[in-house]
């Protein structure tokens, strides 16, 4: 019997053509199902039956009247027509989601970068601070939401009590249609630890020679941050922006638990309304249409962001 | 060597194949089927409900009694969270329970989609006669398009709870309860405690849920003759004008801040604002009596019906909801399900069923149950119940309009209650806004028909 090590060395020393010749013929290898397929089969099963098929089925259902109990009945574009022309709640939910995304995304980006910059400083015990700031982002959303219901309570909540200490009468937050969205936007900073860690990794990845060269040229901290750190961080900012935008359009849990869409539909976000339509009002076909509209919105916004990224995202190789 | 190689491949294939087959078998096996049955020779009746904790124990006792007192069926109960969706999925999959307890606004939506079985076909002449003798609201609450789809074994009725000590404090006679809205206004005004800076320390009455007060002002939001929603009516408008007079007088911000100081709102138990003294008058249901006996046994309180509007008002009125038993249209054993329902509800034997109503603290469905010795004893133990029981025969007890979009309506009424009390819109605009929403939903449903 040949020593396996000798065989490996012998194959490695052969030319590619000779290696190919030494392998079994293709028709021989294709006999039967490759073990690779067996190994991947659980995932394939999940992907095909639990992702791909429901995905395609939802497209079909969006053109049907469907309530789970009875079979779907084809109604053409009626669901889309109703949504665009006759459903004020649909537009309200789009508006609520849009406002949330417009304010929460930049706020989260600025807060994440600022925190990452501060936590990238070379100070004693920095790993403890990093852990402290990262911890809130791994608290389950349901627990976070319940906690913030207390924090934002107008009468006995932490924020208003702190404001009262400095002589400010706090707003009614979640019970006011004016303040409910700002309250949720404010709360979004709580989970900034997740993006902060990615920014931090990005900052650590910036070559030190760039900062050293700038130092030699007499650049101060602000100039180095503005002209080196931020431009070098733009690929990470871009990634977080795209992911954050998709997350903002899928905003659901906090609104579902904290406000249930109220007061006065001011926190009825797109996914919450979609959920209500599908599972409370049994309009599954209608909500499938909503899901596809959301898909198109996310696709368009992501494409638009991708188009702009050549103008402001700097890659190390460029 | 070759043989070994093939064996490994075969082994892996077999292993994965077995794992997959096992996985499917585990998924396909009905977990309920693995539960050991006490009466395997009887017909099985699967019962789904949504009660948990102490309530579940009560349900289990009722089920046990049913199983022990007949020899044809065995009810197997299962407590489920989020039962609505599971019911729909099981119905779509062709394997629903035989009987299900519900408390959400589902009957019109499910009945319209033929997911529920009308009970009329299962009822004997005797049953029908007994059902006709139930209270009017019991006959109305599960009714949809001329058919009855359930039995309400846990009706909720609302009345006015009040604190006599607060009455005495401001010089009111606790024995004199408000009969009209203007009398309630007068009393409430005296009972409100407002600090010089406008902050509210105690509320007399604060009507902030439209559906709660509409029945006291008139025929409500639905016309049973024309089968149409009747939202913008003079009676409803008077109701909303009265409701909005409170934020007008005491300030939206002051009332909002006062309400938000009760973190669990009106649904709390130990911190129910009525117990803590935040409210002198509060509208709530009969289940509070047992809670008060348990958590605040020394609290002095009384109960009276909601007062009627001065102009064209309705005495002894409120909006009722409740827990009802339903039979899915594709139930495997509807006869067994009905046998269980008539046993529990008292359609079969009111004297026996009366005890179940006392176990759960539920409103009796008929005078026969009310008059049963067990229930009369219960009334002696909890005399406060009398106000609720006296309300039962009232024709002015209303139920949610029997429309297929009941859940949608419920959510929109909550929205417009907030619109009204925050003074974002006038009472007329609020009603018109609600009407427009409802009209749009009705039209959406019509347009969505193939």
């Amino acid at each position: 019997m040949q020593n396996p090590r000798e065989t490996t060395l012998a194959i490695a020393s052969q030319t590619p053509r000779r290696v190919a010749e030494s392998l079994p013929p293709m028709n021989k290898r294709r006999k039967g199902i490759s073990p690779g397929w067996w190994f991947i089969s659980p995932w394939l099963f999940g992907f095909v039956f639990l992702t791909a098929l429901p995905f395609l089925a939802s497209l079909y259902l969006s053109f049907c009247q469907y309530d789970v109990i009875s079979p779907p009945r084809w109604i053409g574009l009626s669901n889309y027509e109703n949504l665009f022309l006759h459903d004020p709640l649909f537009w309200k939910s789009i508006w609520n989601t849009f406002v949330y995304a417009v304010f929460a995304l930049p706020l989260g980006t600025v807060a994440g970068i600022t925190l990452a910059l501060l936590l990238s400083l070379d100070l004693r015990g920095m790993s403890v601070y990093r852990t402290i700031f990262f911890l809130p982002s791994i608290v389950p959303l349901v627990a976070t939401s319940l906690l913030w219901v207390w924090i934002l309570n107008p009468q006995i909540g932490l924020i208003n009590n702190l404001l009262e200490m400095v002589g400010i009468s706090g707003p009614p937050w979640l019970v006011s249609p004016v303040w409910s969205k700002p309250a949720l936007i404010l709360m979004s900073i709580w989970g900034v630890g997740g993006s902060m860690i990615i920014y931090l990794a990005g900052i650590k990845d910036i070559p030190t020679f760039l900062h050293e060269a700038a130092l030699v040229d007499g650049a101060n901290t602000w100039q180095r941050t503005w002209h080196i750190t931020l431009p070098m961080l733009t690929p990470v900012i871009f990634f977080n922006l795209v992911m954050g935008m998709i997350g903002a359009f899928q905003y659901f849990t906090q609104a579902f638990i904290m406000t249930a869409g109220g007061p006065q539909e001011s926190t009825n976000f797109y996914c919450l309304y979609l959920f209500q339509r599908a599972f409370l009002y049994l309009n599954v076909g209608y909500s499938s249409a909503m899901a596809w509209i959301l898909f198109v919105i996310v696709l368009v916004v992501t494409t638009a962001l991708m188009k702009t990224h050549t103008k402001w995202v700097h890659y190390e190789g460029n | 060597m070759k043989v070994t190689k093939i064996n490994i491949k075969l082994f892996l294939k077999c292993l994965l194949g077995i794992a997959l087959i096992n996985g499917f078998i585990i998924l396909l096996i009905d977990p309920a089927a693995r539960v050991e049955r006490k009466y395997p020779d009887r017909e099985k009746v699967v019962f789904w409900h949504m009660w948990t904790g102490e309530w579940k124990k009560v349900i289990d006792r009722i089920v046990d009694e049913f199983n022990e007192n007949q020899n044809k069926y065995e009810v197997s109960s299962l407590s489920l969270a989020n039962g609505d969706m599971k019911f729909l999925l099981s119905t779509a999959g062709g394997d629903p329970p035989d009987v299900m307890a519900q408390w959400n606004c589902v009957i019109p939506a499910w009945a319209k989609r033929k997911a529920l079985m009308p009970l009329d076909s299962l009822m004997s002449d005797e049953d029908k006669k007994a059902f006709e003798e139930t209270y009017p609201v019991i006959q109305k609450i599960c009714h949809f398009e001329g058919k009855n789809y359930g039995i309400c074994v846990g009706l909720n009725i609302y009345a006015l709870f009040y604190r006599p000590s607060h009455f005495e404090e401001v010089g009111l006679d606790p024995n004199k309860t408000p009969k009209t809205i203007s009398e309630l206004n007068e009393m409430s005004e005296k009972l409100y405690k407002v600090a010089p800076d406008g902050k509210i320390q105690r509320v007399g009455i604060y009507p902030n849920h439209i559906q709660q007060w509409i029945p006291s002002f008139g025929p409500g939001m639905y016309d049973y003759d024309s089968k149409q929603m009747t939202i913008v009516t003079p009676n409803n408008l008077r109701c909303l004008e009265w409701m909005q007079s409170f934020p007008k007088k005491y300030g939206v911000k002051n009332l909002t801040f006062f309400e938000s100081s009760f973190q669990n709102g009106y649904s709390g138990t130990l911190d129910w604002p009525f117990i803590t003294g935040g409210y002198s008058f509060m509208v709530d249901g009969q289940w509070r009596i047992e809670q008060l006996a348990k958590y605040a046994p020394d609290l002095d309180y009384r109960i009276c019906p909601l007062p009627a509007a001065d102009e064209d008002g309705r005495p002894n009125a409120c909006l009722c909801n409740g827990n009802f038993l339903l039979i899915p249209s594709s139930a495997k054993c509807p006869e067994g399900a009905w046998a269980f329902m008539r046993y529990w509800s008292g359609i079969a034997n009111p004297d026996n069923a009366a005890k179940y109503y006392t176990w759960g603290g539920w409103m009796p469905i008929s005078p026969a149950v009310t008059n049963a010795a067990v229930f009369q004893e219960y009334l002696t133990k909890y005399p406060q119940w009398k106000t609720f029981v006296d309300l039962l025969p009232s024709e002015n007890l209303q139920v949610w309009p029997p429309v297929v979009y009941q859940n949608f309506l419920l959510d929109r009424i909550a929205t417009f209650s907030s619109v009204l009390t925050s003074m974002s819109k006038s009472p007329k605009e609020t009603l018109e806004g609600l009407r427009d929403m409802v009209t749009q939903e009705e039209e959406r449903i019509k347009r969505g028909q193939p």
Side-chain angles (χ1 to χ4, degrees):
Chain A
M1 195 190 283
Q2 205 177 359
N3 184 337
R5 191 161 179 272
E6 278 171 21
T7 314
T8 316
L9 287 172
I11 290 172
S13 64
Q14 288 169 348
T15 61
R17 192 175 170 180
R18 285 181 66 191
V19 169
E21 280 167 2
S22 67
L23 290 170
M26 287 298 278
N27 59 350
K28 221 175 179 182
R29 276 187 283 152
R30 280 180 184 166
K31 250 186 185 176
I33 301 167
S34 154
W37 285 107
W38 282 104
F39 280 115
I40 207 172
S41 59
W43 178 85
L44 263 185
F45 176 83
F47 175 75
V48 172
F49 291 100
L50 304 176
T51 305
L53 279 181
F55 184 74
L56 294 174
S58 74
L59 181 62
Y60 169 70
L61 291 176
S62 73
F63 299 105
C64 296
Q65 192 206 47
Y66 181 53
D67 54 27
V68 181
I69 307 169
S70 353
R73 289 183 293 179
W74 184 267
I75 52 167
L77 290 168
S78 189
N79 284 330
Y80 291 95
E81 185 198 330
N82 275 325
L83 279 165
F84 286 119
L85 303 177
H86 308 291
D87 190 346
L89 283 176
F90 166 74
W91 290 109
K92 177 90 181 167
S93 68
I94 286 192
W95 171 249
N96 288 338
T97 312
F98 177 76
V99 170
Y100 176 80
V102 162
F103 287 97
L105 261 181
L107 190 69
T109 308
V110 171
I113 294 172
T114 311
L115 259 181
L117 285 171
L118 289 172
L119 294 174
S120 66
L121 296 174
D122 196 14
L123 292 175
R124 200 173 165 179
M126 191 50 86
S127 55
V128 176
Y129 295 125
R130 283 175 192 162
T131 311
I132 290 169
F133 281 102
F134 180 65
L135 268 180
S137 68
I138 55 167
V139 176
L141 265 183
V142 175
T144 302
S145 304
L146 292 173
L147 175 74
W148 275 84
V149 168
W150 283 97
I151 292 174
L152 292 167
N153 185 293
Q155 189 84 346
I156 49 176
L158 182 70
I159 293 180
N160 277 10
N161 274 301
L162 289 174
L163 288 173
E164 206 163 297
M165 280 178 174
V166 290
I168 300 169
S169 169
W173 298 117
L174 296 172
V175 287
S176 151
V178 179
W179 283 96
S180 55
K181 272 193 288 287
L184 293 178
I185 291 165
L186 179 75
M187 181 191 152
S188 69
I189 301 175
W190 173 265
V192 86
S195 61
M196 179 268 290
I197 283 290
I198 302 173
Y199 288 126
L200 195 61
I203 290 169
K204 291 285 171 195
D205 207 32
I206 297 171
T208 48
F209 67 80
L210 294 174
H211 284 283
E212 285 163 3
L215 269 173
V216 171
D217 288 345
N220 59 27
T221 311
W222 171 247
Q223 285 169 325
R224 276 184 285 128
T225 306
W226 190 251
H227 293 291
I228 297 173
T229 310
L230 287 181
M232 294 303 288
L233 205 57
T234 47
V236 181
I237 296 173
F238 178 69
F239 169 78
N240 273 337
L241 195 66
V242 172
M243 298 312 286
M245 186 272 298
I246 294 171
F249 277 108
Q250 293 178 341
Y251 194 75
F252 174 79
T253 314
Q254 296 91 322
F256 179 70
I257 291 168
M258 296 169 75
T259 56
Q264 297 173 39
E265 317 287 0
S266 60
T267 60
N268 202 349
F269 293 97
Y270 196 89
C271 282
L272 182 61
Y273 185 48
L274 190 154
F275 170 84
Q276 288 170 346
R277 276 287 172 196
F279 301 112
L280 291 181
Y281 313 151
L282 299 184
N283 309 136
V284 179
Y286 196 70
S287 58
S288 296
M290 284 186 73
W292 274 89
I293 292 168
L294 178 66
F295 176 73
V296 172
I297 292 172
V298 170
L299 195 71
V300 167
V301 178
T302 311
T303 312
L305 281 174
M306 296 292 275
K307 292 259 181 205
T308 65
H309 95 294
T310 49
K311 290 177 183 162
W312 62 276
V313 180
H314 306 279
Y315 291 100
E316 205 178 333
N318 293 346
Chain B
M1 279 300 284
K2 264 187 179 177
V3 174
T4 315
K5 203 175 177 183
I6 291 165
N7 279 346
I8 289 167
K9 273 186 179 177
L10 269 174
F11 173 72
L12 282 173
K13 282 179 185 177
C14 290
L15 199 71
L16 283 167
I18 290 164
L20 282 174
I21 291 163
N22 279 342
F24 282 120
I25 290 169
I26 290 164
L27 283 173
L28 291 173
I29 283 177
D30 175 11
R34 281 180 275 134
V35 176
E36 206 172 293
R37 289 182 60 182
K38 202 173 173 185
Y39 308 99
D41 51 327
R42 295 190 194 173
E43 259 188 274
K44 189 179 173 185
V45 178
V46 178
F47 169 43
W48 286 4
H49 64 84
M50 298 185 292
W51 283 286
T52 53
E54 289 299 312
W55 293 100
K56 186 183 174 295
K57 287 179 193 165
V58 172
I59 305 303
D60 289 344
R61 278 176 74 190
I62 296 170
V63 168
D64 288 346
E65 285 220 351
F66 173 75
N67 287 338
E68 283 160 16
N69 285 298
Q70 46 78 47
N71 53 17
K72 197 173 175 190
Y73 305 107
E74 180 185 15
V75 170
S76 169
S77 69
L78 187 65
S79 171
L80 295 164
N82 194 13
D84 293 17
M85 197 32 67
K86 282 168 189 156
F87 171 81
L88 292 173
L89 291 173
S90 66
T91 301
D95 189 23
D98 296 302
V99 57
M100 182 170 185
Q102 254 293 344
W103 52 58
N104 294 326
C105 293
V106 295
I107 290 182
W110 291 5
K112 188 76 181 174
R113 289 163 172 95
K114 297 187 171 39
L116 297 179
M117 189 177 287
L119 298 183
D120 313 68
S121 57
L122 294 164
M123 287 176 165
S124 66
D125 289 343
E126 217 171 81
D127 292 339
K128 282 178 187 166
K129 195 168 170 275
F131 185 70
E132 278 164 17
E133 284 166 8
T134 58
Y135 292 115
V137 67
I138 297 288
Q139 294 179 43
K140 208 159 47 169
I141 199 165
C142 299
H143 201 80
F144 179 68
E145 292 187 347
K147 288 173 183 163
N148 181 46
Y149 286 92
I151 299 282
C152 184
V153 288
L155 184 77
N156 294 326
I157 294 193
Y158 296 83
L160 207 53
F161 286 67
Y162 68 95
R163 299 282 296 265
S165 59
H166 293 189
F167 272 51
E168 283 158 7
E169 191 187 309
V170 297
L172 289 169
D173 178 6
N175 297 317
K176 193 174 176 286
T177 55
K179 297 284 183 294
T180 60
I181 291 293
S182 55
E183 283 177 21
L184 178 65
N185 279 345
E186 277 173 37
M187 292 176 169
S188 169
E189 200 174 335
K190 288 181 184 168
L191 290 161
Y192 260 92
K193 261 190 189 175
V194 184
D197 62 354
K199 280 188 181 166
I200 295 168
Q201 291 160 342
R202 186 175 72 196
V203 157
I205 182 81
Y206 178 34
N208 53 358
H209 294 294
I210 292 176
Q211 76 278 10
Q212 221 163 43
W213 287 96
I214 286 274
S216 302
F217 279 76
M221 286 195 172
Y222 188 78
D223 179 26
Y224 284 83
D225 295 328
S226 64
K227 292 177 182 159
Q228 295 288 320
M229 291 293 294
T230 49
I231 294 171
V232 188
T233 65
N235 296 61
N236 294 346
L237 188 61
R238 277 195 289 275
C239 175
L240 267 65
E241 279 167 352
W242 172 68
M243 288 176 69
Q244 207 177 58
S245 68
F246 288 85
K248 258 184 199 165
K249 185 171 183 180
Y250 298 103
V252 175
K253 196 180 172 188
N254 293 330
L255 282 165
T256 305
F257 272 65
F258 177 78
E259 276 194 300
S260 61
S261 62
F262 304 103
Q263 185 63 34
N264 290 315
Y266 304 115
S267 59
T269 306
L270 279 170
D271 59 346
W272 185 35
F274 185 74
I275 295 180
T276 54
Y279 288 76
S280 300
F281 277 116
M282 209 159 182
V283 180
D284 222 309
Q286 80 287 343
W287 63 88
R288 289 291 186 188
I289 297 171
E290 279 207 37
Q291 280 183 3
L292 287 167
K294 199 171 176 182
Y295 300 115
D298 301 326
L299 188 85
D300 183 24
Y301 74 97
R302 291 182 203 175
I303 306 166
C304 64
L306 300 188
D310 297 68
E311 190 183 342
D312 196 24
R314 303 286 189 275
N316 298 330
C318 77
L319 186 88
C320 300
N321 52 22
N323 314 310
F324 24 81
L325 299 174
L326 310 165
I327 302 179
S329 51
S330 46
K332 290 183 187 72
C333 185
E335 294 80 14
W338 173 242
F340 177 57
M341 282 166 70
R342 62 194 291 279
Y343 176 84
W344 177 351
S345 63
I347 294 282
N349 183 350
D351 291 328
N352 178 61
K355 65 182 172 215
Y356 305 138
Y357 290 91
T358 65
W359 290 354
W362 296 311
M363 298 305 299
I365 65 160
S366 63
V369 176
T370 308
N371 296 330
V374 179
F375 201 83
Q376 288 300 314
E377 271 174 41
Y378 186 71
L379 287 180
T380 316
K381 189 179 172 190
Y382 297 109
Q384 307 281 21
W385 260 75
K386 197 174 176 311
T387 308
F388 290 103
V389 173
D390 289 347
L391 280 170
L392 279 168
S394 170
E395 292 286 346
N396 293 329
L397 296 183
Q398 293 183 14
V399 295
W400 282 101
V403 289
V404 286
Y405 51 88
Q406 227 175 35
N407 270 322
F408 177 88
L409 179 68
L410 196 143
D411 286 348
R412 299 293 84 76
I413 287 180
T415 298
F416 281 94
S417 292
S418 169
V419 167
L420 179 80
T421 52
S422 66
M423 306 230 300
S424 306
K425 285 182 177 176
S426 71
K428 192 162 184 281
E429 287 168 342
T430 306
L431 283 178
E432 285 169 351
L434 180 61
R435 179 200 55 197
D436 293 348
M437 275 282 189
V438 164
T439 309
Q440 274 162 351
E441 183 64 8
E442 283 173 347
E443 283 169 3
R444 192 196 66 77
I445 293 167
K446 274 182 208 158
R447 269 194 300 273
Q449 299 299 327

